Amino acid sequence: MHLTLRQLEVFQAVARHLSYTRAAEELHLSQPAVSMQIRQLEETVGLPLFEKLGKKIHLTEAGREVFQYSQGIGQHLREMEEVVEALKGVQGGHLRISVATTANYFATRLLAAFSRRYPDTTFSLDITNRKTLLGQLTNNETDLVIMGKPPDGLDLDATPFMENPLVIIAPADHALAKKKKIPLSALQDESFVVRELESGTRIAMERFFGERGVKLNTGMDMTSNSAIKHAVEAGLGLGIVSIHTLELELEAGRLVVLDVDGFPIQRHWYLVMRHGKRLPPVARAFFDFLMDGDAIRLIRTEAIR
Ligand code: PGA
């Protein structure tokens, strides 16, 4: 059989989600590219792997068998990679790291500083949403993840390493821009541009206002912090974002942080890995590098200092 590892990887994603669309999102591929890989795998195997009943797809009996074996192959490959990485040591090792959308604002600076300390290391950085990050951890597809606090009960080790305050932003000429100690009740008359439901930012924001019985007008949501900042600048409403997304706009005076009662919402960034995972030396070195305060001092924004 001339099947490829890529076909198996795509097949596993479709089988896990039972959705071509969701698999395409996870793998950063187009849906036709996913369908083509599955068609080719089905041709090689000589049997259909999925069947459509109503609107949903299901694994056929052959699909279930292939899924079980492909998981074993994936696990073996990752173990092989881990053993080889351990033999390489830190110098020459390859770091697999995945970060939440918002952490993108500082992850590259951290990696640049890490590369200066360990010049022969290489890395793959995946920037994705919270749900995909949790899937990657469960399937051992990444060494380390930087994200907000993960949910309990998933057999993960999560270590906080830096604060992540959430603030309310407004255009510099907004009526509330110069006010002090704005009460939460004053926000109920404003429109908000917020992050998508599955983001850590949105979950924390909903919890904060829910606990205080304040209902916000959050009709507009966006999957990107940059899009939110542009929307706020353009006058679409107020925004709620991590302070780490802001530095440039604050310096340039295009946006201001409002002084609202109870704000900033205090959160933390966590380094997360599977419980009991044997980290390759390069990932261990990155972990230690982050826990050592120098790296964090480098990326803390002026606004939190
Ligand atoms: P996010 O960031 O809002 O981009 O998902 C992660 C988090 O804050 O938990």
Side-chain angles (χ1 to χ4, degrees):
M1 268 194 207
H2 293 294
L3 47 81
T4 66
L5 291 173
R6 184 63 172 158
Q7 286 167 356
L8 287 183
E9 184 190 11
V10 172
F11 166 74
Q12 278 191 26
V14 178
R16 262 199 322 273
H17 294 294
L18 290 176
S19 155
Y20 284 76
T21 317
R22 299 242 293 277
E25 274 168 23
E26 179 186 312
L27 298 167
H28 306 298
L29 289 175
S30 68
Q31 200 176 323
V34 169
S35 307
M36 193 177 76
Q37 296 275 358
I38 298 296
R39 242 193 341 270
Q40 286 171 351
L41 182 61
E42 289 183 323
E43 274 167 27
T44 311
V45 172
L47 286 172
L49 300 174
F50 294 101
E51 59 191 347
K52 205 165 175 198
L53 301 175
K55 281 194 181 144
K56 288 195 165 159
I57 61 163
H58 297 263
L59 284 166
T60 59
E61 192 184 344
R64 282 196 295 276
E65 291 289 350
V66 173
F67 186 47
Q68 202 173 348
Y69 281 98
S70 72
Q71 281 185 307
I73 293 169
Q75 188 62 31
H76 262 88
L77 279 175
R78 282 189 288 276
E79 277 170 27
M80 182 188 83
E81 264 173 35
E82 283 168 15
V83 170
V84 172
E85 284 303 317
L87 292 174
K88 283 183 194 158
V90 178
Q91 296 293 347
H94 185 80
L95 172 68
R96 293 181 306 171
I97 179 163
S98 301
V99 306
T101 316
T102 303
N104 179 31
Y105 280 85
F106 57 82
T108 39
R109 262 188 287 166
L110 279 180
L111 286 168
F114 182 70
S115 293
R116 280 196 291 278
R117 188 170 302 175
Y118 298 103
D120 291 331
T121 52
T122 53
F123 51 80
S124 313
L125 168 66
D126 191 15
I127 299 148
T128 184
N129 65 30
R130 188 176 164 89
K131 198 165 161 204
T132 310
L133 291 174
L134 293 174
Q136 289 182 351
L137 284 163
T138 310
N139 300 318
N140 194 19
E141 289 164 357
T142 184
D143 292 328
L144 285 171
V145 163
I146 295 179
M147 63 186 298
K149 191 173 190 306
D152 294 332
L154 287 187
D155 218 16
L156 301 172
D157 288 340
T159 315
F161 68 92
M162 182 170 67
E163 59 277 62
N164 175 23
L166 299 189
V167 294
I168 302 193
I169 50 170
D173 59 358
H174 192 277
L176 294 175
K178 297 213 163 60
K179 294 239 157 63
K180 295 275 171 236
K181 298 199 181 323
I182 302 163
L184 291 183
S185 55
L187 302 179
Q188 283 168 321
D189 304 328
E190 302 288 335
S191 300
F192 278 81
V193 190
V194 292
R195 283 286 303 281
E196 78 279 13
L197 275 175
E198 279 161 353
S199 68
T201 304
R202 176 71 174 271
I203 293 168
M205 175 205 123
E206 300 273 355
R207 187 180 312 123
F208 177 88
F209 286 103
E211 282 169 3
R212 286 157 184 79
V214 176
K215 180 96 190 75
L216 290 189
N217 174 7
T218 53
M220 293 167 278
D221 66 68
M222 302 185 179
T223 53
S224 133
N225 291 303
S226 302
I228 291 181
K229 290 187 293 182
H230 287 303
V232 171
E233 247 187 276
L236 266 180
L238 302 179
I240 299 184
V241 290
S242 159
I243 197 111
H244 291 291
T245 67
L246 284 173
E247 215 156 4
L248 288 179
E249 288 80 0
L250 295 181
E251 263 168 34
R254 296 204 300 268
L255 291 172
V256 291
V257 171
L258 295 185
D259 179 9
V260 177
D261 271 351
F263 270 78
I265 301 178
Q266 296 297 353
R267 306 186 63 221
H268 283 88
W269 289 111
Y270 286 73
L271 255 178
V272 186
M273 63 175 133
R274 264 161 64 116
H275 178 66
K277 181 173 170 71
R278 229 177 8 160
L279 281 182
V282 63
R284 169 56 54 194
F286 188 72
F287 187 98
D288 294 343
F289 176 73
L290 274 201
M291 290 306 150
D292 156 23
D294 284 356
I296 307 308
R297 274 189 285 284
L298 182 85
I299 56 169
R300 270 178 158 190
T301 61
E302 277 300 327
I304 339 181
R305 267 183 203 128

